[in-house]
Amino acid sequence: MPPYLRIYDGTTDPEDHVTHYVTVVKGNDLAKEQVSSILLKKFGETLTGGALTWYSKLPARSIQTFEEMTNKFLSAHAGAKKAKTRVNDIFAIKQSLGEGLRDFLAHFNKVRMTLPKESEVMAVAAFQNGLSRDGSRETRKLLS
């Protein structure tokens, strides 16, 4: 496995770990028929701490597919799963005093990317709602 493969210790979102792991394995120029086998066989190498303890207690040969491993892993580590952001949460993002337009846009987009698919109209409305009326000249210009 490449050295940039993240190790999971049970404290971060397990879905993020699975997504990252699958992306790294699929990026290794493997033959299509090898991918499923490698995903299943190498998964344990990406675990440490409590997650590795959980994995080591699985009965030998009790899991046949990576999909089955993923389901068991996600169930076992559901407590570490990050809470889904609600669409209304996007309206709570406000530009702070002294925060530049570029920084606010970066912060806004970071939260927006965690949301379920919402309409672009709603995203624009939330962005405008979050802009500070007392902000920079660029912000005031954008609001007008």
Side-chain angles (χ1 to χ4, degrees):
M1 296 273 87
Y4 55 88
L5 183 63
R6 284 189 228 137
I7 302 299
Y8 183 80
D9 64 2
T11 62
T12 57
D13 190 323
E15 285 185 20
D16 287 348
H17 179 70
V18 170
T19 300
H20 175 76
Y21 172 67
V22 169
T23 301
V24 169
V25 170
K26 286 185 174 181
N28 277 320
D29 295 327
L30 300 169
K32 189 175 181 177
E33 60 275 1
Q34 292 178 300
V35 173
S36 294
S37 175
I38 296 295
L39 284 171
L40 183 58
K41 288 178 183 175
K42 297 293 184 178
F43 187 70
E45 295 176 20
T46 70
L47 306 176
T48 191
L52 182 58
T53 300
W54 167 83
Y55 181 81
S56 69
K57 290 182 179 181
L58 291 171
R61 299 183 192 357
S62 64
I63 297 176
Q64 303 303 312
T65 66
F66 183 67
E67 182 177 304
E68 187 180 352
M69 173 64 77
T70 299
N71 290 337
K72 287 184 182 288
F73 175 74
L74 294 177
S75 293
H77 297 89
K81 186 172 170 34
K82 66 184 173 192
K84 292 282 186 199
T85 307
R86 296 182 313 264
V87 173
N88 287 344
D89 292 347
I90 199 169
F91 284 95
I93 306 166
K94 303 291 182 197
Q95 184 180 20
S96 60
L97 193 59
E99 181 179 28
L101 185 57
R102 186 172 288 148
D103 290 335
F104 174 67
L105 182 58
H107 175 217
F108 181 86
N109 280 330
K110 185 176 180 182
V111 174
R112 184 173 156 243
M113 298 311 273
T114 66
L115 294 172
K117 292 181 182 173
E118 84 283 355
S119 73
E120 286 301 310
V121 172
M122 183 182 286
V124 170
F127 179 75
Q128 290 173 334
N129 182 63
L131 288 170
S132 171
R133 305 300 182 238
D134 302 320
S136 66
R137 186 169 43 112
E138 291 84 10
T139 300
R140 290 191 305 273
K141 183 178 178 183
L142 189 62
L143 283 167
S144 62

